[in-house]
Amino acid sequence: MKYVLSIIFLGLQLTVFAQEYSFLAASSKKIKEKEYITYLNDNIGKLDSIQKTTKWFLEDGTTFNQKYSDSVFKSKEGYRYSTKLYRDTISNNFSYVLYKRDKAEVRETNRDFNDYIKADEKNRKKLKKSGIDELTLTDIKGEVHSLETLKDKIILIDFWFINCGPCIKEIPDLNKLKAEFEMDEVEWFAVTYDPKEKVERFLERLKFDYTIVPDSKHLTDRFDIRFYPTTLIIDENRKIVYTGKFGTMNGRVNEIREALNKLIKSKKYAVKAGPATQIEED
């Protein structure tokens, strides 16, 4: 999940056979992110083995780990780094090469993307603490959920889509998170713009324990969702209290957990004809 994030947001080159690096097999070809995600979707049951056989290289052929990757992207020069993705056409194993872009490439590829990030940050700030007076979620079974049916509930909405690598990788962790909060106070929704039929086929291969809401581009447009996955948490007073932030995958589930715990703790207070009084736990 941590590694795939960089692929989603950092441009990959055109799919061509190229021996740019001698340490890669001659049968390796450079591919686009879309081809990689499609392969993951077609091999949901093999995600663990795919991850284990994936290799990560520096341009000199040295392998590296997550700790090194984190340190690179957090450094002052981190913005200049990107990854190239290769697929061995014989073994079907994948390799990433971490490389440092020159200044011209940085300017060319990052200008529009940086503007996009700024717009996303601005939107998240606008959403947080804003209130909603209407919400309709039609799930994959045809059941309609509204603010009326969700009265007094905390509403968690996870925006995802089938071809989103980080979204797919995160689903098992999201299932575990939901299992931790088996209570009536929280309602869990997974909203995607993908059509119902496509989502149903996907769910045959990978279990997602949230209430699935397909065919919902109108909701991604309404909340101006630009990056995936993005999670919104709406409290019982219909205020958006959590939006997350761009680029946060390592620790994202923990952030959501903390936000939920804070809200649930606040619901342990009741107003009885005066100041709020704490309800003692059993």
Side-chain angles (χ1 to χ4, degrees):
M1 172 169 51
K2 301 171 184 176
Y3 289 145
V4 179
L5 178 66
S6 62
I7 308 165
I8 282 291
F9 301 124
L10 298 174
L12 297 175
Q13 308 301 313
L14 294 176
T15 303
V16 294
F17 282 96
Q19 275 304 99
E20 292 183 81
Y21 304 107
S22 60
F23 51 84
L24 295 178
S27 52
S28 295
K29 69 174 182 178
K30 195 184 299 181
I31 65 171
K32 294 180 180 180
E33 167 225 337
K34 183 177 181 180
E35 181 177 336
Y36 174 67
I37 298 303
T38 298
Y39 185 82
L40 290 183
N41 282 332
D42 292 340
N43 294 275
I44 293 294
K46 301 179 181 178
L47 290 181
D48 288 341
S49 62
I50 293 172
Q51 186 174 19
K52 289 178 181 178
T53 57
T54 298
K55 297 180 180 179
W56 298 80
F57 297 100
L58 301 179
E59 287 196 287
D60 63 2
T62 305
T63 58
F64 66 95
N65 56 24
Q66 180 66 47
K67 184 177 180 180
Y68 179 83
S69 177
D70 289 343
S71 67
V72 168
F73 285 107
K74 290 178 181 179
S75 69
K76 291 182 179 180
E77 294 265 293
Y79 70 96
R80 291 187 60 180
Y81 285 85
S82 185
T83 54
K84 298 175 184 178
L85 175 59
Y86 295 84
R87 178 181 180 180
D88 188 320
T89 57
I90 296 177
S91 68
N92 276 329
N93 291 334
F94 295 91
S95 298
Y96 296 94
V97 178
L98 178 68
Y99 74 102
K100 190 174 183 179
R101 299 177 292 175
D102 60 33
K103 292 182 179 180
E105 184 180 357
V106 170
R107 286 194 298 269
E108 180 180 353
T109 59
N110 285 7
R111 185 183 299 110
D112 291 342
F113 184 60
N114 287 337
D115 290 342
Y116 200 73
I117 292 175
K118 290 178 182 178
D120 178 70
E121 292 174 345
K122 183 177 180 180
N123 180 58
R124 291 180 194 249
K125 289 180 180 179
K126 180 182 71 174
L127 286 176
K128 196 169 183 180
K129 299 301 182 183
S130 66
I132 60 173
D133 54 14
E134 187 279 330
L135 181 67
T136 301
L137 302 162
T138 303
D139 68 31
I140 200 165
K141 297 179 180 179
E143 184 176 350
V144 178
H145 308 264
S146 66
L147 293 183
E148 182 62 31
T149 63
L150 299 170
K151 186 177 182 180
D152 297 325
K153 301 290 183 68
I154 295 169
I155 304 170
L156 184 146
I157 303 177
D158 186 74
F159 290 91
W160 69 296
F161 64 97
I162 287 173
N163 287 328
C164 167
C167 301
I168 295 171
K169 290 284 189 179
E170 189 182 55
I171 288 175
D173 290 328
L174 294 180
N175 288 341
K176 291 177 183 178
L177 179 67
K178 181 177 181 292
E180 294 177 23
F181 292 87
E182 288 296 338
M183 53 186 68
D184 294 334
E185 286 90 343
V186 185
E187 294 290 338
W188 310 74
F189 295 94
V191 172
T192 176
Y193 54 73
D194 287 313
K196 175 183 176 181
E197 294 77 13
K198 188 175 181 180
V199 176
E200 287 177 332
R201 290 195 298 271
F202 173 85
L203 294 175
E204 290 175 359
R205 305 193 302 268
L206 184 64
K207 183 181 180 182
F208 199 169
D209 291 333
Y210 287 25
T211 300
I212 309 297
V213 183
D215 295 301
S216 294
K217 187 176 185 299
H218 62 287
L219 290 175
T220 63
D221 290 344
R222 171 183 174 179
F223 292 104
D224 197 14
I225 303 301
R226 294 167 178 259
F227 294 107
Y228 298 84
T230 287
T231 296
L232 303 182
I233 299 178
I234 304 169
D235 70 12
E236 67 274 20
N237 297 314
R238 301 307 172 237
K239 301 291 184 182
I240 299 176
V241 297
Y242 177 85
T243 61
K245 57 185 177 181
F246 162 74
T248 302
M249 286 299 293
N250 186 14
R252 198 179 92 90
V253 173
N254 287 333
E255 274 193 6
I256 296 171
R257 180 184 291 108
E258 291 174 5
L260 288 174
N261 279 326
K262 183 177 180 180
L263 280 180
I264 291 170
K265 183 178 180 180
S266 70
K267 286 170 69 68
K268 294 180 182 295
Y269 292 81
V271 176
K272 296 185 177 180
T277 57
Q278 185 172 3
I279 299 175
E280 295 184 358
E281 299 180 0
D282 293 334

